[in-house]
Amino acid sequence: MKLISFKQSIVALGVVLTFGSCDTDEKLEVQGDGVVLETAFYRNETEAYSGLVAAYDKVGKFAGSMETAPLLFLNSASDDFYAGGGNSGDQPGLQVASNYTVSQFNIPPAIWANYYQGVFRCNVMIQKLPEVDMDTTKKARFMAEVKTLRAYYYFDLVRMFKNVPLIVVPLSKAEVPNVMQAKPEEIYVQMEKDLNEAINDLPVTLATTESGRFSKGAAIALLGKVYLYNNKKAEAATEFAKINGTPGSTSSYGYKLMPAYADLWNHANKFNTESIFEIAYSDKSNADWGNFELGNDEGNVAAQLMGIRDYSRTSTGLAAGLPDYINGWGFITATTDLANVLKTDPRFASTIFDAKAERAAGRITYTDSYNETGYHFIKYAAVNEDIKAANPFLNFSINTYIIRLADTYLMEAEALNGSGARAQALLDAVRARVGLPSVPVSMTAIMNERRLELAGEGHRWYDLVRTGQAAAKLAFKGFTANKNEIMPIPYSEFNNTKMVQNPGY
C-alpha cells in the first residue's frame, strides 16, 4: 500500500511461489539494510513495523498497476465501461475481461498472485508478532491490522474467484503440492473471525502520518460488506449503522458526506470526512519501466491509462477553460448506456467528460480509443499540473477510494431490504447531497443509485453478480450465465497443487 511516511520502511519479501511458500531461510530484501534471513527478522518493533508495511503493500495494486489493476479489470468487465486502449490487443488482460473471452490462459495471473502475496505477508506477521519485543498495545494494533488486511485480501479473492484456497499460516515448499480450495462459506467464516477479533484493537482516529492504515471504522465497514455479501443482512445493517450514524450528519466515527460531490474528486481532498478506507499513491517513487516491477510502483498508474489519447485543447478550448488533461492511453471508455443514464444527473460532470461533444465544437482534439464512445471516465483523471516526477506515467499522486460513506449508506439501505424509514433516509441523504429529490426507497432504487453514485469505482461488476443481474446486463458483451459470475483461476496456479478450475473454464 502506498502510505505517505508509513511507506518509507517497506520490506520487499522474496516470495518464491504465488502462495507465498516460505522456507526457514527465506530472504528478506530490506531497503537500506542489506539482506537478512526471515528466521532472524521480526525481533523488535522496527522490524515488525517493516513487516506491517509489507503486508499493506499489495493493497496499492488496486490502481497501481496496468492490466493487473483490479480497478481497471473490474471496470472493463462491467456494463459501464469498455477496456478501450489503442486496439484490441492493447493490455490484453483488460480486453478479455471487457469482451468475456477471459480464460485460465489469458487472465492476468498477477491479480490472483498479488492477493495471495498479501495473504502470505499477513500470515507471516500473525505468526511472528507474538514473540516480538515491543509495546503490547502497539503489538495488538499491528495484529489487528494484519488480520483486517487478510480479510480484505480474501474478500476480493472470494468475490472474484469464489473457489480459493484458505491459507492462514505460512506454507513451506513441501506443503504447496497439497493446496486445495476451500468452500466459499469457509472463507467467509475466516474473514468474519479475523475482523471481529481485530476491531477492538484498532484506533478510532488516525494521526496524519498514519493515513491509509485501517481504523476501527474501516474494519467495521469491511465487516458490514462481508456480512452483506454472505447474505447476513441483519448483521450487516448493524455494522453499517455504527459508522453511518444519522444519515446526513457526522457519525460517532467522524464520517460525514462531503458537501459537494465534486469535492470528492479534487485531488487535494485526501482522507476527507467521507473517506473510510482509501489508498494513498505517491509521485515520489520515480518508478520507470526498468524498475516498475521491483517494488517501485508507488504511483496511481490507472490515472495514466484512463487519460484521453493525444488530448489537446484548441485555442477555443483554452478560452472555455476546459481541463488541462494529460495525454493518456485511452483505457476505460464509458459505455453510451452509462453516459445516457448519467446525462441528466448532477454527478455526470464529475464522472464523465463528453469528449465527443467538445471535439465537435472544436474545443479539443484527441485520438479515438478502441471501442471509442466519446465518453471518458474522469473521477481519477490526471491533469498536467499533477506531473511532478521525471517519469510521470507511473507516478501520479492521486488517491483511490476503497470504501466511502455514500457506499456504506446505500449498503445499509440494501441490508434493510430496501424498506423502512431508515433505508429511505439513507437513500435520501445520498441524493440530497447532489440536489436530487427523494424517490421511494426500494431495492431497485438503491441499485440504480449505486450505479450513478459509485460509477467507475470498482463496485458495479460485483453488484451485478451478487444481485443476479449480470447475465442480462452484460449479454451485449458476451457474458455467459453460470460461468462468468466468477473469473477463471490462472493456469499457472495449477502447477504442483491439487486445485481444480472453476466451472465452465
Side-chain angles (χ1 to χ4, degrees):
M1 189 175 184
K2 286 62 183 166
L3 301 169
I4 312 173
S5 63
F6 185 47
K7 182 64 184 173
Q8 301 309 310
S9 57
I10 182 65
V11 175
L13 292 172
V15 180
V16 178
L17 297 174
T18 294
F19 287 124
S21 63
C22 181
D23 284 352
T24 56
D25 64 346
E26 185 72 47
K27 290 182 179 180
L28 302 174
E29 303 291 341
V30 186
Q31 292 184 2
D33 295 326
V35 177
V36 297
L37 297 181
E38 186 267 342
T39 49
F41 205 65
Y42 305 102
R43 297 162 299 187
N44 52 47
E45 182 179 319
T46 298
E47 293 178 353
Y49 183 76
S50 293
L52 178 64
V53 174
Y56 268 103
D57 188 60
K58 292 299 177 180
V59 176
K61 293 293 185 180
F62 184 72
S65 53
M66 296 191 190
E67 64 180 358
T68 60
L71 175 65
L72 301 177
F73 187 82
L74 293 168
N75 279 347
S76 296
S78 78
D79 59 336
D80 287 344
F81 300 95
Y82 294 109
N87 54 59
S88 62
D90 199 356
Q91 295 297 311
L94 301 182
Q95 304 297 340
V96 298
S98 187
N99 61 27
Y100 283 93
T101 59
V102 63
S103 74
Q104 61 182 321
F105 302 109
N106 60 28
I107 187 171
I111 294 177
W112 171 285
N114 286 331
Y115 284 123
Y116 268 107
Q117 287 169 6
V119 168
F120 165 71
R121 296 174 184 191
C122 292
N123 288 343
V124 170
M125 281 288 287
I126 290 169
Q127 182 185 73
K128 297 290 186 179
L129 265 175
E131 304 304 318
V132 177
D133 181 16
M134 61 182 292
D135 175 77
T136 55
T137 300
K138 190 170 289 187
K139 182 190 293 189
R141 178 184 176 183
F142 283 17
M143 181 67 80
E145 287 182 85
V146 290
K147 286 185 176 181
T148 303
L149 276 167
R150 185 167 68 180
Y152 170 85
Y153 292 132
Y154 268 123
F155 188 49
D156 277 4
L157 280 165
V158 76
R159 289 190 298 167
M160 195 178 300
F161 300 102
K162 187 175 180 180
N163 302 300
V164 301
L166 178 60
I167 302 170
V168 294
V169 295
L171 297 181
S172 69
K173 292 177 183 177
E175 292 173 305
V176 170
N178 295 318
V179 167
M180 299 175 66
Q181 289 129 307
K183 295 178 180 179
E185 50 266 33
E186 295 173 332
I187 305 294
Y188 277 94
V189 167
Q190 183 64 48
M191 290 187 293
E192 292 170 14
K193 179 177 184 292
D194 277 345
L195 290 167
N196 278 305
E197 289 178 354
I199 285 169
N200 286 338
D201 290 321
L202 291 169
V204 174
T205 58
L206 300 172
T208 302
T209 55
E210 298 174 335
S211 296
R213 296 171 68 172
F214 271 107
S215 65
K216 183 172 292 189
I220 290 171
L222 180 57
L223 179 59
K225 291 189 71 169
V226 169
Y227 280 142
L228 183 63
Y229 275 74
N230 201 21
N231 203 32
K232 294 184 176 181
K233 290 187 175 181
E235 292 91 335
T238 297
E239 299 306 317
F240 288 135
K242 293 175 184 177
I243 57 172
N244 290 341
T246 302
S249 300
T250 303
S251 76
S252 61
Y253 285 90
Y255 302 124
K256 185 178 182 180
L257 294 176
M258 290 288 280
Y261 189 75
D263 290 344
L264 289 163
W265 316 110
N266 180 336
H267 302 161
N269 290 331
K270 299 181 178 185
F271 304 107
N272 55 65
T273 61
E274 189 165 337
S275 175
I276 297 175
F277 189 55
E278 174 178 336
I279 305 175
Y281 292 96
S282 172
D283 58 12
K284 302 296 190 296
S285 67
N286 289 321
D288 209 330
W289 300 116
N291 62 19
F292 180 64
E293 298 297 338
L294 300 177
N296 295 294
D297 48 335
E298 303 305 316
N300 187 325
V301 180
Q304 174 67 38
L305 270 75
M306 293 186 290
I308 304 169
R309 295 173 65 82
D310 301 319
Y311 175 87
S312 179
R313 296 175 295 175
T314 65
S315 58
T316 306
L318 285 167
L322 292 185
D324 186 24
Y325 292 133
I326 62 165
N327 295 330
W329 298 339
F331 289 91
I332 314 302
T333 53
T335 61
T336 301
D337 184 60
L338 175 64
N340 286 341
V341 298
L342 266 171
K343 269 188 174 177
T344 58
D345 190 282
R347 289 163 286 204
F348 180 90
S350 295
T351 306
I352 292 175
F353 181 72
D354 191 344
K356 178 174 59 176
E358 297 297 344
R359 181 165 64 181
R363 289 188 281 264
I364 65 169
T365 60
Y366 68 94
T367 299
D368 285 352
S369 293
Y370 178 61
N371 285 143
E372 179 67 46
T373 62
Y375 300 110
H376 288 261
F377 179 56
I378 56 170
K379 282 184 175 177
Y380 299 115
V383 296
N384 283 303
E385 187 179 348
D386 293 318
I387 296 177
K388 309 294 184 185
N391 183 357
F393 304 135
L394 307 176
N395 297 287
F396 283 108
S397 178
I398 299 173
N399 286 9
T400 305
Y401 300 112
I402 298 297
I403 308 174
R404 60 181 178 88
L405 193 61
D407 181 18
T408 59
Y409 271 22
L410 295 172
M411 284 191 290
E412 184 186 347
E414 180 186 346
L416 294 168
N417 294 307
S419 63
R422 181 166 174 84
Q424 182 71 64
L426 289 160
L427 177 61
D428 286 350
V430 174
R431 292 177 60 81
R433 190 256 296 274
V434 295
L436 291 174
S438 175
V439 295
V441 70
S442 66
M443 293 300 285
T444 298
I446 292 166
M447 298 314 296
N448 288 343
E449 202 66 32
R450 285 186 64 79
R451 186 184 190 190
L452 300 171
E453 174 72 23
L454 303 168
E457 296 176 52
H459 303 290
R460 177 66 174 175
W461 185 79
Y462 289 132
D463 283 350
L464 291 178
V465 168
R466 67 189 177 86
T467 57
Q469 301 179 74
K473 296 288 188 181
L474 293 166
F476 76 102
K477 283 190 161 190
F479 184 99
T480 299
N482 302 315
K483 173 186 175 181
N484 293 135
E485 289 85 357
I486 53 178
M487 293 294 172
I489 298 168
Y491 179 75
S492 57
E493 299 307 320
F494 297 98
N495 296 331
N496 204 30
T497 71
K498 295 181 179 179
M499 295 200 307
V500 297
Q501 185 54 269
N502 283 330
Y505 294 104

